[in-house]
Amino acid sequence: MSEFALIIFFSCIIILFLVIDLGLLHRTPKKITTQSALYQSIFWVLISLFFCAFIFKFYGGVRPSMEFLSAYLTEKALSVDNIFVIILILKYFKVDEVYYHKILFWGILGAIVFRAIFIFLGAFLVMKFYWILYIFGAFLVYSGIKLMTASDDDETLNPGDSPVIKFFRKHLSITKGHFGGKFIIKRGSKILFTPLFLVLIFIECTDLIFAVDSIPAAFAITTNQFILFSANIFAIMGLRAMFFLLAGILDKFFLLQKGLAIILIFIGAKMLLEIFSIHIPVGISLAVISASLFLSIALSLVLRKCYPQVLPEAD
């Protein structure tokens, strides 16, 4: 089976999952419980690991399977910052929790489309201009240093001041109510947009911003389009469940941002070292990414328990 055929087959499976999710399991809006989010998170992790085993067995053995796992973990880790922003957006617009699932579903659907475009466009550019990887590497090092030195004040977000929100409020007729979770309603011959439509648009725009970091980071691990696409999509598909699972406890992992910064700096440096023909094995990359992610979480919990008086309180 060709790489293009594999991508089409994989996309059909993902579409089937999405249809089952919204069409059968979540027809009516309802609040997602922590227990349900845990089960869904476990499901997506297991499916991702099963797919990794599939790559190992039928798609080249150890190296591509480790590349998939490295890209998957990197995207999963970087999506944590995305969750922070989504929480701020939903709180700002005072969205009822029963509509969270629907908004995140359509937001993730849009993210899948845009990530696919970015990945295939990026693969085309890398194939034509390989040196663009070095630009990706320098950008990732810069982003990692910026994230490492960022303070809490740097992370404030006011969606109401966003040029995107101001543009749509100026050019579209926006209602004041949520109208049962609808994005668009019709009154006579006039089409109106609800605040949930603004929420969805803003979430899509923020995901595009985060993709600027995550897609180059994935290219630092592999340039195989199928592995890049599948790893990104599996991480995104599990984002919704991870949101409901971690939304209330993310503040406890106060060192996670530093761990993400280390991952970005390492991946960027890995790309730049190739200028000097220094190639870091994919096994080492996987080990560094995994260790940075899990140690930052573990140290956050240990330090918060041992020194609660000198650390910022979690919400």
Side-chain angles (χ1 to χ4, degrees):
M1 186 180 290
S2 68
E3 188 171 290
F4 180 74
L6 277 172
I7 292 172
I8 296 298
F9 177 70
F10 174 77
S11 300
C12 291
I13 293 176
I14 294 301
I15 291 172
L16 177 62
F17 274 122
L18 290 170
V19 170
I20 293 173
D21 187 344
L22 192 65
L24 298 178
L25 301 180
H26 298 94
R27 279 188 175 182
T28 56
K30 61 181 179 180
K31 181 179 177 180
I32 304 299
T33 64
T34 302
Q35 184 182 44
S36 175
L38 176 61
Y39 291 153
Q40 290 180 47
S41 294
I42 293 173
F43 169 79
W44 281 113
V45 169
L46 290 177
I47 288 292
S48 302
L49 292 177
F50 177 80
F51 190 79
C52 184
F54 167 84
I55 291 176
F56 173 78
K57 182 72 174 177
F58 301 105
Y59 195 72
V62 175
R63 182 179 177 85
S65 61
M66 293 183 71
E67 288 177 346
F68 169 84
L69 198 55
S70 298
Y72 172 75
L73 283 176
T74 300
E75 177 64 34
K76 199 81 168 173
L78 294 176
S79 66
V80 172
D81 264 358
N82 207 348
I83 292 178
F84 274 116
V85 175
I86 291 173
I87 292 171
L88 290 174
I89 294 170
L90 293 174
K91 287 184 177 179
Y92 176 85
F93 285 97
K94 298 181 174 61
V95 177
D96 194 312
E97 290 187 29
V98 298
Y99 303 133
Y100 281 10
H101 179 274
K102 181 177 181 179
I103 292 172
L104 291 175
F105 174 89
W106 289 106
I108 286 171
L109 187 61
I112 289 173
V113 174
F114 287 120
R115 296 298 176 97
I117 294 172
F118 282 0
I119 287 171
F120 298 129
L121 178 60
F124 173 79
L125 291 174
V126 169
M127 185 173 59
K128 294 291 184 181
F129 313 103
Y130 188 79
W131 49 265
I132 202 171
L133 286 176
Y134 306 135
I135 297 177
F136 286 171
F139 176 75
L140 290 175
V141 171
Y142 167 77
S143 297
I145 293 173
K146 186 177 179 181
L147 185 61
M148 179 70 75
T149 57
S151 65
D152 292 338
D153 293 335
D154 296 330
E155 297 179 5
T156 56
L157 173 72
N158 185 0
D161 294 334
S162 166
V164 174
I165 297 300
K166 289 181 178 179
F167 174 84
F168 281 101
R169 278 179 168 164
K170 181 178 180 180
H171 293 89
L172 296 179
S173 300
I174 307 296
T175 68
K176 293 187 179 297
H178 290 161
F179 292 89
K182 295 179 179 179
F183 297 120
I184 301 173
I185 63 171
K186 192 173 181 181
R187 285 182 177 172
S189 60
K190 191 174 183 181
I191 295 177
L192 303 177
F193 298 85
T194 70
L196 293 186
F197 177 80
L198 288 181
V199 174
L200 179 62
I201 292 297
F202 200 48
I203 287 177
E204 294 289 3
C205 291
T206 56
D207 182 74
L208 290 177
I209 295 173
F210 282 107
V212 173
D213 280 338
S214 64
I215 298 301
F219 272 102
I221 296 167
T222 179
T223 55
N224 183 299
Q225 296 181 55
F226 175 60
I227 293 177
L228 280 171
F229 180 67
S230 57
N232 249 267
I233 299 309
F234 271 121
I236 292 172
M237 291 294 289
L239 175 63
R240 185 175 65 248
M242 190 165 69
F243 168 86
F244 290 110
L245 186 62
L246 300 180
I249 60 173
L250 271 179
D251 288 340
K252 294 182 179 180
F253 308 133
F254 64 97
L255 289 178
L256 186 56
Q257 185 184 66
K258 308 302 180 186
L260 300 181
I262 291 172
I263 291 174
L264 287 176
I265 293 172
F266 168 77
I267 292 175
K270 174 180 179 292
M271 298 174 89
L272 294 176
L273 286 174
E274 293 192 1
I275 298 175
F276 308 101
S277 299
I278 300 175
H279 305 285
I280 298 178
V282 65
I284 294 178
S285 298
L286 178 58
V288 172
I289 293 168
S290 302
S292 299
L293 179 59
F294 294 115
L295 283 176
S296 62
I297 293 174
L299 284 174
S300 296
L301 297 176
V302 171
L303 291 176
R304 184 173 294 283
K305 184 176 181 179
C306 296
Y307 304 100
Q309 68 278 6
V310 295
L311 296 176
E313 292 187 7
D315 292 336

